Amino acid sequence: RPAQPAASSSAPVEPEAGAAPALSLSQLIFGLWLLGAAVVLIWNLLSHLRFCRYLARWSTAVQDPDTLSLYNTLGDQLGLDRRPRLLSCPGLAVPMLAGLFRPALLLPAEPPAGDELRFSLLHELTHYRRGDIFRKTLALWVRALHWFNPLVWLTARAMDRDIELSCDESALKHLPPAEHAAYGRTILSAVSALTGAGR
């Protein structure tokens, strides 16, 4: 009887039952990227939801007739057919525009008065007219997708600064030159108040 040939050493080896499949380097890198993007997005989403709950509980519609008259006058001046809700909210340091789908212009519980209020409302309504809140949301998504790249974070910060400068330039077109310096002082005061609140 002829001898059976020996098994070839190149025959495939069956994996042991229950053994976990090995992950490739590309799969590990993709998983790390996905985790980082999810952390950035979830963190910002939770912060947004907390802020929305705060607004729902504490914000109230502005009732002061002088403030409403000024608000509508500025809206007409900017040619706005639709305008964000004007709300008063405690805890704010300066007026601000918030909300992607239901935008609201938020005033502190003790809002500025006189020209300071007029300049602040003009600044935020100009943001609304230009759609800057959509640009800032886009920058957030880009930071989330490229969370590992510090250049993207620096670029997003520069973009935010440029949006503010461009908004100021647009707002100044609706003011006489004699008021440009006072507008600038109002904006610098708002930035200082935000910096102080963030400490």
Side-chain angles (χ1 to χ4, degrees):
R1 183 179 179 182
Q4 296 292 328
S8 172
S9 60
S10 61
V13 179
E14 294 292 333
E16 296 182 6
L23 293 176
S24 66
L25 179 60
S26 60
Q27 289 173 322
L28 288 173
I29 293 175
F30 176 76
L32 180 62
W33 167 80
L34 190 62
L35 177 62
V39 168
V40 174
L41 287 175
I42 291 174
W43 176 267
N44 282 277
L45 177 61
L46 291 177
S47 298
H48 178 70
L49 291 177
R50 284 196 300 266
F51 185 65
C52 288
R53 285 199 301 268
Y54 182 84
L55 287 182
R57 180 174 182 181
W58 298 108
S59 66
T60 56
V62 173
Q63 302 292 338
D64 179 62
D66 293 335
T67 302
L68 292 174
S69 176
L70 175 61
Y71 182 71
N72 289 322
T73 298
L74 291 171
D76 293 339
Q77 185 179 346
L78 292 172
L80 297 176
D81 295 328
R82 299 183 62 185
R83 295 154 198 188
R85 297 168 294 156
L86 185 61
L87 304 177
S88 176
C89 185
L92 296 182
V94 296
M96 63 179 292
L97 183 68
L100 182 61
F101 300 110
R102 293 192 65 209
L105 201 162
L106 308 173
L107 296 179
E110 297 183 1
D115 283 342
E116 188 176 353
L117 175 61
R118 179 163 61 94
F119 296 147
S120 297
L121 290 175
L122 175 63
H123 178 85
E124 299 304 331
L125 283 174
T126 302
H127 272 309
Y128 175 78
R129 180 176 180 268
R130 290 160 40 90
D132 286 338
I133 199 164
F134 291 95
R135 294 185 177 94
K136 294 186 177 185
T137 302
L138 176 61
L140 168 63
W141 278 96
V142 172
R143 287 199 306 269
L145 295 177
H146 297 270
W147 60 267
F148 54 88
N149 189 344
L151 292 178
V152 171
W153 289 81
L154 292 174
T155 301
R157 181 178 297 181
M159 175 183 171
D160 189 66
R161 183 180 64 248
D162 290 344
I163 285 175
E164 292 298 328
L165 292 174
S166 180
C167 175
D168 290 332
E169 182 180 359
S170 181
L172 287 174
K173 294 178 181 178
H174 298 275
L175 294 173
E179 293 185 328
H180 288 188
Y183 173 89
R185 286 192 296 269
T186 298
I187 299 304
L188 290 176
S189 176
V191 171
S192 178
L194 281 176
T195 304
R199 291 176 181 173

